[in-house]
Amino acid sequence: QVQLVESGGGLVQAGGSLRLSCAISGRTFRRYAMGWFRQAPGKEREFVAQITWSGGFTSYADSVKGRFTISRDTVNNTVYLQMNSLNPEDTAVYFCAHRSQPGLGYTYWGQGTQVTVSS
């Protein structure tokens, strides 16, 4: 089992910044990538960003490219999402997720952290 605990959410004004953290614990020996997803009220969960654990290769949803940055700390088993230039459309619950192998989906999820951007 893998446990994921997100933190860092909150209320911010449009144009502001937040940094989310995801602490990883448990059976962590097999890890291909970590990702961030979000779900806004009344909408489906959507992909935000991914980082491969060993090589640090990143990918982003078009809606956040140039504003959000995903990173990881392999010593402290933590993944981050730096969010800049936030706008009200970024309001959602943000989840981190663990992906064990390429070709497999995300199998472990955190409980989520609320991000609210006011206009």
Side-chain angles (χ1 to χ4, degrees):
Q1 291 289 339
V2 174
Q3 291 81 44
L4 306 174
V5 179
E6 302 98 334
S7 61
L11 174 64
V12 64
Q13 288 188 333
S17 299
L18 282 175
R19 188 176 84 152
L20 305 183
S21 300
C22 175
I24 310 160
S25 62
R27 287 178 172 265
T28 60
F29 58 88
R30 180 176 291 176
R31 182 179 315 141
Y32 167 66
M34 295 295 298
W36 285 97
F37 291 74
R38 66 186 182 186
Q39 187 167 19
K43 295 187 177 181
E44 293 187 354
R45 187 175 299 185
E46 65 175 358
F47 169 79
V48 174
Q50 173 182 284
I51 186 166
T52 60
W53 197 253
S54 60
F57 297 105
T58 59
S59 59
Y60 297 92
D62 288 343
S63 59
V64 306
K65 278 181 184 176
R67 300 188 299 124
F68 290 11
T69 302
I70 188 171
S71 62
R72 85 269 193 252
D73 181 340
T74 58
V75 173
N76 294 305
N77 280 325
T78 304
V79 63
Y80 302 98
L81 185 68
Q82 178 66 45
M83 306 185 295
N84 299 328
S85 302
L86 286 162
N87 58 63
E89 290 70 39
D90 296 315
T91 295
V93 177
Y94 284 71
F95 301 88
C96 70
H98 178 284
R99 189 176 179 188
S100 299
Q101 302 177 44
L104 295 180
Y106 288 90
T107 53
Y108 295 100
W109 297 81
Q111 81 289 349
T113 186
Q114 176 70 47
V115 172
T116 303
V117 185
S118 62
S119 57

